[in-house]
Amino acid sequence: PMPNPVLRTALVNFELPAATNVTVRVFDMSGKLLQSMNMGKVAQGQNQFMLNTEQFQTGLYIMAMTTEFGTVTRKFAVGNK
């Protein structure tokens, strides 16, 4: 997610080799699920979405994006608001 650290919202860019269902989950560092978004079927190619972090405390988090092609995880920080 950009920017990193995130203050309130982050723009997440991603590319898909084919149209597929996308689910995004955000976990704290202990593995607790904090947010889950089912984005439905997303088009092939470049895509983006806004990740709202206003309800998260300052700290480190993990975003997991799952498609039929697998799961990609990224660590990001939420900064002081």
Side-chain angles (χ1 to χ4, degrees), residues 1 6 8-10 13 17-18 22-24 31 34 43 47 51-53 55 59 64 67 70 80-81:
V6 178
R8 286 186 175 77
T9 60
N13 294 296
V22 175
T23 301
V24 177
L34 302 176
N47 294 278
L51 177 64
N52 184 339
T53 64
Q55 71 277 22
T67 71
N80 291 331
K81 299 176 183 166

Side-chain angles (χ1 to χ4, degrees), residues 1-2 9-14 22-26 35 37 39 42 47-52 63-65:
M2 297 301 288
T9 60
L11 182 63
V12 179
N13 294 296
F14 62 100
V22 175
T23 301
V24 177
R25 292 181 179 88
V26 177
Q35 187 177 70
M37 298 177 291
M39 297 176 62
V42 177
N47 294 278
Q48 62 184 19
F49 68 94
M50 293 299 291
L51 177 64
N52 184 339
M63 180 188 70
M65 179 180 292

Side-chain angles (χ1 to χ4, degrees), residues 14-22 41-47 69:
F14 62 100
E15 185 173 357
L16 296 171
T20 185
N21 289 317
V22 175
K41 193 154 195 156
V42 177
Q44 173 183 359
Q46 294 289 331
N47 294 278
F69 306 108

